[in-house]
Amino acid sequence: MSDHDLSPLPGRTVLVTGATSGIGLETARQLAERGATVLLHGRTDEEARAAADRLVATVGIDAARLRPFAADFTHLDEVECLANRVVAEHPHLDVLVNNAGIAAPERHTVTTDGNEIAFQVNFLAHYLLTCLLEPALTSDPGGRVVNVSSSLHRTANIQWNDPNRARRYSRLAAYAQSQLALTVFAADPRVTAVSVHPGICDTALMPLYAHEGVTPAEGATNVVRLCDPAVEIVNGAYYDRAERVEPAPAATEDRTVKRLNKLADLLVGRTA
């Protein structure tokens, strides 16, 4: 199915995390242009509102289709507040796009919650958000989650005994671990989910990959396609741009999914 074959999305409600720049902003734009109501997440209220205003002013998006939300993913209590607000205001959510992400810093950095910052922002915050939004995503059949992952997940391993990589830190290894975790999490059976490598795009994360990439708009088309209910998906599937391919072997192992969920519940303070 080509981009031109995608269906209009009126009546659909989609939350896009990290929607103030790059692929997230372009994903929000393309979804809103198709008629979806987009819950546009930013790190702060000001950033989220500015992104919404930008789409209205530069692209002509109907302001009624854009709802700004804020949460700093380096603080898990803000993630919880975000989820509570979304469920209260939108008890039915069609799609959650887990897109927010950062490049791991050069120096080992731990959040106030005690987690390595890339692991928390790129994976743990999305894990917590998805779990808390499960009632809204499953209120009607067809709810889905799209995890914006990375081909670098293939180079990763999860340090089960030291997920915060306190003993041996490498920014590339820390980032790759967060992407592998996000890819593994797509196979969780609670909500139908897929993960996608949108391509190497000219965003703040590009230095991790290469010196040049495609535009964020091109990368976003690979995300938006998976938000369309006309595109059938299988739980746990992984896409490299528009093509479904096999992820790293660990991402298909049931025991790895269960072990990751147990670790994530511990690190975000959830009880089974």
Side-chain angles (χ1 to χ4, degrees):
M1 179 179 287
S2 71
D3 180 52
H4 298 293
D5 295 327
L6 293 174
S7 57
L9 300 172
R12 305 281 288 181
T13 302
V14 185
L15 169 59
V16 181
T17 70
T20 58
S21 63
I23 293 173
L25 181 64
E26 285 298 323
T27 296
R29 176 184 67 80
Q30 293 179 29
L31 288 167
E33 284 181 334
R34 287 204 167 89
T37 295
V38 180
L39 314 186
L40 195 151
H41 160 260
R43 188 175 58 86
T44 65
D45 286 319
E46 293 75 19
E47 289 179 8
R49 285 197 298 267
D53 291 344
R54 177 180 169 189
L55 291 177
V56 172
T58 62
V59 193
I61 300 295
D62 182 352
R65 291 185 187 152
L66 301 172
R67 312 286 170 80
F69 285 78
D72 183 341
F73 281 8
T74 65
H75 298 279
L76 292 176
D77 58 341
E78 292 195 24
V79 177
E80 188 168 353
C81 289
L82 168 64
N84 291 339
R85 184 185 160 201
V86 169
V87 171
E89 297 181 16
H90 301 276
H92 172 68
L93 187 64
D94 294 289
V95 186
L96 167 62
V97 179
N98 286 325
N99 165 77
I102 62 168
E106 293 285 354
R107 293 190 176 186
H108 185 256
T109 305
V110 176
T111 69
T112 55
D113 297 295
N115 304 306
E116 190 275 316
I117 191 168
F119 198 57
Q120 176 163 321
V121 171
N122 298 349
F123 167 63
L124 291 173
H126 286 124
Y127 175 87
L128 178 60
L129 182 64
T130 305
C131 291
L132 295 174
L133 292 180
E134 181 185 350
L137 287 161
T138 58
S139 61
D140 286 331
R144 62 177 66 181
V145 176
V146 179
N147 291 338
V148 181
S149 180
S150 163
S151 59
L152 286 176
H153 86 275
R154 299 186 185 281
T155 70
N157 61 81
I158 297 172
Q159 294 290 310
W160 299 107
N161 296 322
D162 184 26
N164 292 321
R165 295 181 174 263
R167 291 193 290 272
R168 187 175 181 181
Y169 179 77
S170 151
R171 71 181 303 229
L172 190 58
Y175 177 78
Q177 174 181 256
S178 72
Q179 299 308 293
L180 176 57
L182 200 58
T183 305
V184 171
F185 180 46
D188 185 286
R190 287 173 284 188
V191 180
T192 300
V194 295
S195 54
V196 57
H197 168 59
I200 299 173
C201 301
D202 188 5
T203 69
L205 294 177
M206 191 175 68
L208 290 169
Y209 297 90
H211 296 295
E212 60 183 26
V214 302
T215 65
E218 290 177 81
T221 61
N222 297 311
V223 179
V224 172
R225 176 179 168 275
L226 296 170
C227 297
D228 191 327
V231 176
E232 294 185 11
I233 61 172
V234 176
N235 191 57
Y238 173 77
Y239 292 82
D240 189 326
R241 288 156 289 188
E243 182 181 359
R244 182 181 173 186
V245 298
E246 289 298 314
T252 62
E253 295 173 352
D254 184 58
R255 63 178 181 175
T256 303
V257 175
K258 292 178 179 177
R259 191 176 186 185
L260 180 65
N261 286 352
K262 186 175 181 179
L263 174 65
D265 281 338
L266 175 68
L267 295 180
V268 303
R270 281 174 60 85
T271 55

